[in-house]
Amino acid sequence: MKRPKRPTIRDVAEKAGVSIATVSKYVNGQQSFSPAVEEKLREAIEDLGYSQNSLARAMVTGRTTAIGLAVMDLANPHYSNVVKGANRVALANGYNLFVVDMEESIAAVRPLLEALAPRTDGLIVSARIPKDVTDWLAELDKPVAFLGQPERDDVLTVGTDSVQVAALLAQYLVRQGFKRFGYMGYSRAPSNADRIQGLRQILEPAGVELLIFDVDEPTNEAGERAAARVLLRPDRPDVIIGWNDLVAIGMMNEARSLGFKVPFDVAFAGIDNIPISRYVTPPLTTVDVCSQATGEVVMKKIIAMIEEKPQPTDLTLEPALIIRESTQLHFT
Amino acid sequence: MKRPKRPTIRDVAEKAGVSIATVSKYVNGQQSFSPAVEEKLREAIEDLGYSQNSLARAMVTGRTTAIGLAVMDLANPHYSNVVKGANRVALANGYNLFVVDMEESIAAVRPLLEALAPRTDGLIVSARIPKDVTDWLAELDKPVAFLGQPERDDVLTVGTDSVQVAALLAQYLVRQGFKRFGYMGYSRAPSNADRIQGLRQILEPAGVELLIFDVDEPTNEAGERAAARVLLRPDRPDVIIGWNDLVAIGMMNEARSLGFKVPFDVAFAGIDNIPISRYVTPPLTTVDVCSQATGEVVMKKIIAMIEEKPQPTDLTLEPALIIRESTQLHFT
DNA sequence: AAATATCAGTTAAACGTTTTCCTTTTTGGG
DNA sequence: CCCAAAAAGGAAAACGTTTAACTGATATTT
């Protein structure tokens, strides 16, 4: 395979008969030029098909006009939406967004970030990552933000409050009259504990039972596989909350193929409000965690940090209950 | 905000009392070292928290060990799956995958690719892009591959054959006894024409009608919005094929809220076989276009090109019909 | 018309690495 | 012990840009 070696600024300079500094200024539009020179440059660039090597440019300026986003799992629509939100804001502000998928593997994140860091002006990381990586990030000369449950004050974290999210859902479900709660959590996620705390906070005072289960992966399939464990118990819950919408949808599907009537025999609720939740049967009750807004906010903040502008006033993200038929026993 | 400026190879060299060349060789493991020097280097690197600037490295070596993937829309699960497949193969071969989302906007792709190109050893682009961009890509000194309908021989393109995909579906539906076909296409996509061709290829000989409609966006919502147009016609089709699963699901949902019984009053089929299609009601008949395998294959090929190895033998991607209840009138 | 400001363009250093040649030191065989 | 060969380490050029400082030439002000 031939590699034609793309033209450099030097080639353009030579062809146009000027210095490389002139070419640089021309392509960056930093000065006015005599018509003669301008024409020659235009032509040389056109002929050679020259385009800037942004790597070299980044080396000397220290700016890349790119931002990196490391996300847990792109196949999860929640994250896709975060990415969409972030991407739009980035593009609107003249930045490019590079996304990497860490495949739910916290361990492998460090090399990914090491590769991403020098290529970007700022980093967004969508997980609570190990301390050594956080430390390394802190020593970087770049703004960094995290996605998820805000917890520490010294790092910027954008997301909804997991305790609040869970409590919101529990509150509504208690009011609906459910008596035996099941929670199919994902214990490998750090915020799982917060979710449980939020549930207990409401359920204990109300004197309502909570059974806790665990799924090995936050996916449809895993929810489906895990559902039988909880559905076939003698003390089967009358409502089951999934770690996220995907898990809830998987469980709901399995419940129906086991012959349960949803929501009458058993009700389901999820968390995230992914787009598809409206389209399953019955439509899934869930909590909107502002996926897209999360992406937008975090991107706005990181751009403000990069450009050393004042931080946008703290846009808080309020989770919102989305009530659909998967938890409604009587149609009003 | 303070920017501590990350340490360079020079700082390490100075602290360890050796030359920068030695440091470079050490971090790349290219030579053996006396215990004394080795220890000093280890310590200096540890203390300073040094890590290679891969930008600078890439500049001189010309290699980045990264691959870029520009995708039409990450919110579409089909593309998420392509990304997943590609990412796994990339990681397994020691490459990083950087994903950019072009937001369904073919126009904006050029600047995106210009930013991505110098940062990567190879590029994968998931759309038929304008000729000037293709030309520019061709002049690049990098392997490039396309995702989608293979069409030209001079560029590497991986994907299923759109004509075949559509024909496969039509064939099955005709055999099921459907008589009036609707197709809700997405005319902004180049392969829309191929899909129509595939449908006609089967339907015309069979003497079956085909009504063609168009959706303005390949999403659930757009499918939902567009559904009424076709459902409320006097000559309503008895089966409607969506541009993709998302559109089909949207239409199916709208049909049900308009009071139609699916599949008895009207049946639906999609294309892509996105994971969620199993979970909607009724489960959606579709054509599997090997989303994940597409990502894997294209990544394998591009890595082979980068490393100038022989191309893996042409792994063809055979679309597969996935029959579910959304098109089954009698339960056997 | 002289003095000064503006404009167009150049020179050369710098960004943080890798790598090719060197030079120096160490090792081992006789 | 001597010498050659191998090992360990260094000097400097190169990668493709930007940019500060500079040089002449042209335009503007008085």
Side-chain angles (χ1 to χ4, degrees):
Chain A
M1 124 150 283
K2 71 176 206 303
R3 295 280 168 81
K5 194 114 189 68
R6 60 192 287 199
T8 77
I9 202 174
R10 220 159 242 113
D11 301 323
V12 175
E14 188 172 358
K15 179 146 188 164
V18 299
S19 77
I20 62 168
T22 306
V23 181
S24 174
K25 285 170 183 157
Y26 177 76
V27 305
N28 294 312
Q30 302 198 327
Q31 205 184 259
S32 51
F33 298 88
S34 68
V37 168
E38 174 138 19
E39 169 58 17
K40 280 184 167 189
L41 282 171
R42 219 194 34 65
E43 190 176 322
I45 289 175
E46 173 70 28
D47 279 11
L48 264 36
Y50 170 79
S51 71
Q52 266 185 354
N53 182 329
S54 49
L55 229 66
R57 174 174 223 271
M59 267 223 52
V60 27
T61 61
R63 305 256 296 108
T64 63
T65 61
I67 289 169
L69 170 52
V71 92
M72 281 301 283
D73 177 17
L74 272 175
N76 183 334
H78 165 64
Y79 289 114
S80 311
N81 279 327
V82 174
V83 171
K84 295 303 270 189
N87 198 39
R88 258 169 228 152
V89 173
L91 255 33
N93 288 76
Y95 288 84
N96 288 119
L97 180 64
F98 298 145
V99 183
V100 306
D101 185 333
M102 43 209 245
E103 305 268 349
E104 290 280 346
S105 146
I106 299 284
V109 73
R110 168 111 193 221
L112 239 43
L113 293 178
E114 285 187 349
L116 205 48
R119 295 166 159 87
T120 54
D121 293 337
L123 245 31
I124 303 171
V125 183
S126 92
R128 296 198 215 173
I129 54 179
K131 178 134 188 358
D132 63 314
V133 181
T134 330
D135 289 348
W136 175 78
L137 281 173
E139 281 180 9
L140 227 52
D141 57 335
K142 289 187 198 316
V144 178
F146 293 87
L147 246 33
Q149 160 83 344
E151 50 179 15
R152 287 163 52 187
D153 282 351
D154 57 337
V155 293
L156 172 57
T157 309
V158 177
T160 45
D161 179 333
S162 300
V163 178
Q164 188 189 357
V165 165
L168 198 60
L169 199 50
Q171 213 157 22
Y172 156 76
L173 292 171
V174 167
R175 243 187 281 121
Q176 287 284 298
F178 291 104
K179 292 282 179 262
R180 289 187 312 281
F181 279 58
Y183 171 61
M184 181 63 73
Y186 176 55
S187 60
R188 284 176 44 196
S191 53
N192 194 49
D194 300 325
R195 298 258 181 98
I196 292 174
Q197 186 195 327
L199 293 177
R200 289 219 168 106
Q201 190 176 295
I202 302 297
L203 299 183
E204 280 177 5
V208 166
E209 279 186 77
L210 174 62
L211 265 54
I212 295 179
F213 302 86
D214 202 64
V215 84
D216 56 344
E217 233 185 34
T219 63
N220 285 140
E221 290 75 15
E224 209 165 1
R225 283 195 305 268
R229 284 213 311 275
V230 34
L231 290 168
L232 301 180
R233 290 171 64 105
D235 58 343
R236 162 166 57 85
D238 53 10
V239 62
I240 306 175
I241 297 169
W243 160 256
N244 62 15
D245 288 356
L246 292 174
V247 169
I249 291 170
M251 290 193 296
M252 194 157 77
N253 201 57
E254 180 66 6
R256 295 171 72 220
S257 42
L258 289 173
F260 293 99
K261 295 283 168 230
V262 180
F264 309 102
D265 296 336
V266 52
F268 289 94
I271 290 173
D272 278 357
N273 191 27
I274 61 177
I276 202 69
S277 297
R278 275 183 58 208
Y279 295 94
V280 296
T281 311
L284 186 70
T285 290
T286 184
V287 179
D288 188 292
V289 296
C290 318
S291 313
Q292 200 156 319
T294 301
E296 291 167 5
V297 168
V298 74
M299 184 55 75
K300 276 180 194 150
K301 295 212 173 195
I302 218 144
I303 290 177
M305 292 171 74
I306 291 170
E307 301 180 348
E308 304 192 325
K309 286 186 187 149
Q311 288 281 319
T313 56
D314 218 276
L315 299 160
T316 56
L317 294 168
E318 278 300 316
L321 192 60
I322 308 287
I323 299 174
R324 300 207 185 96
E325 293 164 28
S326 71
T327 54
Q328 287 183 295
L329 299 178
H330 19 257
F331 298 95
T332 48
Chain B
M1 124 149 283
K2 72 175 206 298
R3 295 278 169 80
K5 194 112 189 72
R6 61 192 285 198
T8 76
I9 202 174
R10 217 159 246 110
D11 301 323
V12 175
E14 188 172 356
K15 179 145 188 164
V18 298
S19 77
I20 62 168
T22 306
V23 181
S24 173
K25 285 168 185 161
Y26 176 76
V27 305
N28 294 312
Q30 301 198 329
Q31 205 182 259
S32 50
F33 298 89
S34 69
V37 168
E38 173 136 20
E39 170 57 17
K40 281 186 168 184
L41 282 171
R42 220 193 34 66
E43 190 176 321
I45 288 175
E46 174 70 27
D47 279 11
L48 264 35
Y50 170 78
S51 71
Q52 266 186 351
N53 182 329
S54 49
L55 229 67
R57 174 174 224 272
M59 268 224 49
V60 28
T61 62
R63 304 254 299 109
T64 64
T65 60
I67 290 170
L69 170 52
V71 92
M72 282 301 283
D73 176 18
L74 272 175
N76 183 334
H78 165 64
Y79 288 114
S80 312
N81 279 326
V82 173
V83 171
K84 296 302 271 191
N87 198 39
R88 258 169 230 153
V89 172
L91 255 33
N93 288 78
Y95 288 83
N96 288 118
L97 180 63
F98 298 144
V99 183
V100 306
D101 186 333
M102 43 210 245
E103 305 269 348
E104 290 280 346
S105 145
I106 298 284
V109 71
R110 168 109 192 221
L112 239 44
L113 293 178
E114 285 187 351
L116 205 48
R119 294 168 160 87
T120 54
D121 293 338
L123 245 32
I124 304 171
V125 183
S126 93
R128 297 199 215 175
I129 52 180
K131 178 132 188 358
D132 62 314
V133 181
T134 331
D135 288 349
W136 175 77
L137 281 173
E139 280 179 10
L140 228 52
D141 57 334
K142 288 189 198 319
V144 178
F146 294 87
L147 246 33
Q149 160 82 345
E151 49 178 16
R152 288 163 51 187
D153 282 351
D154 56 337
V155 293
L156 172 58
T157 309
V158 177
T160 45
D161 179 334
S162 300
V163 178
Q164 188 190 356
V165 165
L168 199 60
L169 198 50
Q171 212 156 23
Y172 156 75
L173 293 170
V174 166
R175 243 186 280 123
Q176 287 284 297
F178 291 104
K179 293 280 179 263
R180 289 186 312 282
F181 278 59
Y183 171 61
M184 182 63 74
Y186 176 56
S187 61
R188 285 175 45 197
S191 52
N192 195 47
D194 300 324
R195 297 258 181 98
I196 292 175
Q197 185 195 327
L199 293 176
R200 289 219 168 106
Q201 191 176 296
I202 301 297
L203 300 182
E204 280 177 6
V208 165
E209 280 185 78
L210 174 62
L211 265 54
I212 294 179
F213 302 87
D214 203 64
V215 84
D216 56 344
E217 231 184 37
T219 63
N220 284 140
E221 290 76 15
E224 208 164 2
R225 284 195 306 270
R229 285 213 311 275
V230 34
L231 290 167
L232 302 180
R233 291 170 63 105
D235 58 343
R236 161 166 58 84
D238 53 11
V239 62
I240 306 176
I241 297 169
W243 160 256
N244 62 15
D245 288 355
L246 292 174
V247 169
I249 291 170
M251 290 193 296
M252 195 157 76
N253 202 57
E254 179 67 5
R256 294 172 73 219
S257 42
L258 288 173
F260 293 98
K261 297 281 169 234
V262 180
F264 308 102
D265 296 335
V266 53
F268 289 93
I271 289 173
D272 277 357
N273 191 26
I274 61 177
I276 202 69
S277 298
R278 274 184 58 208
Y279 295 92
V280 296
T281 311
L284 186 69
T285 291
T286 184
V287 179
D288 188 292
V289 297
C290 319
S291 312
Q292 200 155 320
T294 300
E296 291 168 5
V297 168
V298 74
M299 184 56 74
K300 276 180 195 152
K301 293 211 174 195
I302 216 141
I303 290 178
M305 290 170 75
I306 291 170
E307 301 180 348
E308 305 192 323
K309 285 186 189 150
Q311 289 281 319
T313 55
D314 218 274
L315 299 160
T316 56
L317 294 167
E318 279 298 317
L321 192 60
I322 307 288
I323 299 172
R324 300 205 185 96
E325 293 165 27
S326 71
T327 55
Q328 286 182 295
L329 300 179
H330 17 259
F331 298 97
T332 49

